[in-house]
Amino acid sequence: MKPARRLVALAAVVLLATAGCAGAESGSSGPIKVGSVNALSGAATFPEASQAAKAVFDAANASGGVNGRQLEYKALDDKGDPAAAAAAAREVVGRDEAVALVGSSSLIECEINNKYYEQQKILSIQGIGVDPACFTSPNIAPANVGPYHDMTLTLLYGSETLKLNDICALLEIAGNTLPSYQAAIDEWSAITGKKLKYLDATVPYGGSDYTSYIVKARNAGCKAITVNPVEPDSIGQLKAAAAQGWNDVTWLLLTSVYSENYAKAITNAGAGVYVPAEFYPFTDSTSPQNKDWRELMTKNNIPLTSFSQGGYLAAKYFLDVVKGIKGDVTRESVTKALREMQPITDPMVGTPYVFGPGQTHHDNTAGWPIKLASGTNKWELVGDDWLRIPKK
């Protein structure tokens, strides 16, 4: 071989060897990259979920990481904008080559990105699933119950535990959520044999005055109302009812209003606001169920909310599964492990978590009943066990 050709061949061998070493380092000893797509700015924000997931990963890193490898976590903002949600997913999945998404929380993220996740063969343990695609995609499995099972649960509590009749629904519909809420109501009807007395699916998000909707519901003979509101809307609806002197109506709401700020803002709750909390109630400050979560959130100055509970659990589930992987931690090995995992039981939830091989993931079906009464400004537990949707 001529000297020039010998040098070229030698250089090629060195280059290949160097590339092989770099690949081995980034795969087996470099950081384990994990991402999330979240509503961190915009009309409705959920920053606590990804903050909680990061706190879990930071604590794991401080204890040596996963088999000596550190976790590198990136939480991106979708701004409530479809284009931003798509761009954020492509950054963490495509450019950063994350092994999974963990702790995401957004109003639109699942709907925008679920097909992309399927194409890229990556799985997402959503901290808080909201839109229907979070629960109907083979590649997304939220840690929370979700608003649709939440509505079935609140209706079950109202009709079967509180023995209420003449239950009505005022629905705030965004995007394609109406069929999912209708399915939740139909599930309650199938279980109980009961029907709503009145349904209005035209209630707006962010309405300036809910008086007309409240008046129509009262005239329809409603004794209890289920609503799927965000906190400001619910406050406006309860104030509108109080202004009409309608103080004997029971409110069957969702976890979306479960916060200490909401409780402080409500003076007249009618016959009571009832909610099936998606995780063990965080307002029970002495509960052993929430002890580890509460301590970690407090240490990191993260608000104690259902959103931070969801992000915390999503990260814990991910770590439990990844620590059991034999060999390299890659997107492929993480996906395989999540598909084949055994159910994980945690005292913060009433249903074991499992990702599994299913084409849909809507398996969390338990909530803990809590109540907000007029004049108390505090949530209280009204059950001694989880309320569950009966298995079919």
Side-chain angles (χ1 to χ4, degrees):
M1 182 180 291
K2 294 183 179 180
R5 289 182 180 177
R6 187 180 297 112
L7 288 174
V8 170
L10 182 60
V13 170
V14 172
L15 182 61
L16 287 171
T18 304
C21 292
E25 182 179 357
S26 61
S28 60
S29 60
I32 298 171
K33 296 184 178 181
V34 185
S36 65
V37 180
N38 312 271
L40 303 180
S41 63
T45 61
F46 313 100
E48 303 100 307
S50 55
Q51 290 171 354
K54 183 178 185 301
V56 172
F57 292 146
D58 287 347
N61 285 338
S63 298
V66 176
N67 297 329
R69 294 177 64 185
Q70 295 286 285
L71 293 140
E72 185 178 301
Y73 184 65
K74 178 186 283 187
L76 293 181
D77 184 9
D78 69 15
K79 306 174 185 177
D81 175 68
R90 281 150 181 80
E91 179 174 334
V92 295
V93 176
R95 194 189 75 182
D96 296 340
E97 299 183 340
V99 300
L101 293 109
V102 178
S104 298
S105 182
S106 164
L107 290 174
I108 62 170
E109 197 271 312
C110 297
E111 181 179 357
I112 299 302
N113 293 321
N114 71 94
K115 294 300 181 185
Y116 176 68
Y117 296 155
E118 290 184 50
Q119 294 168 2
Q120 298 300 312
K121 298 180 180 179
I122 190 170
L123 304 186
S124 174
I125 304 177
Q126 206 83 4
I128 300 293
V130 181
D131 71 70
C134 296
F135 306 95
T136 57
S137 165
N139 286 51
I140 302 173
N144 66 318
V145 173
Y148 315 111
H149 279 340
D150 216 18
M151 176 154 285
T152 302
L153 286 167
T154 200
L155 286 168
L156 284 172
Y157 191 79
S159 66
E160 307 310 296
T161 301
L162 299 179
K163 306 299 181 183
L164 298 171
N165 297 310
D166 300 327
I167 300 175
C168 303
L170 301 179
L171 299 181
E172 300 185 354
I173 300 302
N176 62 341
T177 58
L178 180 55
S180 294
Y181 281 115
Q182 186 61 61
I185 294 168
D186 292 345
E187 185 173 26
W188 164 72
S189 293
I191 295 168
T192 64
K194 300 173 182 178
K195 302 288 186 182
L196 292 175
K197 187 176 183 65
Y198 169 79
L199 169 65
D200 184 350
T202 67
V203 182
Y205 274 106
S208 58
D209 185 359
Y210 290 100
T211 301
S212 63
Y213 302 95
I214 295 299
V215 169
K216 284 188 287 186
R218 189 179 190 184
N219 291 341
C222 303
K223 302 300 182 185
I225 299 178
T226 186
V227 197
N228 61 322
V230 291
E231 289 183 28
D233 293 2
S234 180
I235 293 169
Q237 291 156 15
L238 266 67
K239 287 183 177 179
Q244 296 297 312
W246 196 14
N247 297 320
D248 60 350
V249 61
T250 301
W251 299 89
L252 304 173
L253 305 185
L254 310 186
T255 309
S256 53
V257 303
Y258 177 37
S259 77
E260 292 180 331
N261 287 335
Y262 177 86
K264 291 175 183 176
I266 298 299
T267 55
N268 187 337
V273 173
Y274 291 85
V275 168
E278 294 188 71
F279 309 106
Y280 188 85
F282 62 83
T283 46
D284 182 4
S285 60
T286 61
S287 62
Q289 292 91 332
N290 287 330
K291 181 178 181 294
D292 293 342
W293 161 78
R294 181 179 291 274
E295 289 178 353
L296 185 63
M297 297 304 102
T298 301
K299 178 182 177 181
N300 289 276
N301 297 314
I302 299 171
L304 302 177
T305 67
S306 293
F307 300 122
S308 61
Q309 286 179 304
Y312 169 85
L313 284 168
K316 276 193 65 181
Y317 296 149
F318 174 79
L319 282 178
D320 283 351
V321 171
V322 170
K323 287 179 179 178
I325 293 176
K326 304 299 183 185
D328 198 5
V329 177
T330 64
R331 183 179 301 178
E332 292 75 17
S333 66
V334 169
T335 296
K336 183 176 186 294
L338 286 170
R339 294 291 193 198
E340 298 175 354
M341 68 178 285
Q342 294 298 308
I344 298 174
T345 299
D346 191 285
M348 289 176 66
V349 288
T351 308
Y353 179 85
V354 61
F355 204 113
Q359 291 300 298
T360 62
H361 301 282
H362 205 178
D363 301 327
N364 194 339
T365 57
W368 195 286
I370 54 175
K371 175 187 178 182
L372 174 64
S374 292
T376 64
N377 298 117
K378 290 184 178 181
W379 295 99
E380 61 177 301
L381 277 65
V382 290
D384 55 8
D385 198 1
W386 296 94
L387 173 67
R388 293 180 174 85
I389 297 174
K391 293 183 178 179
K392 296 179 182 179

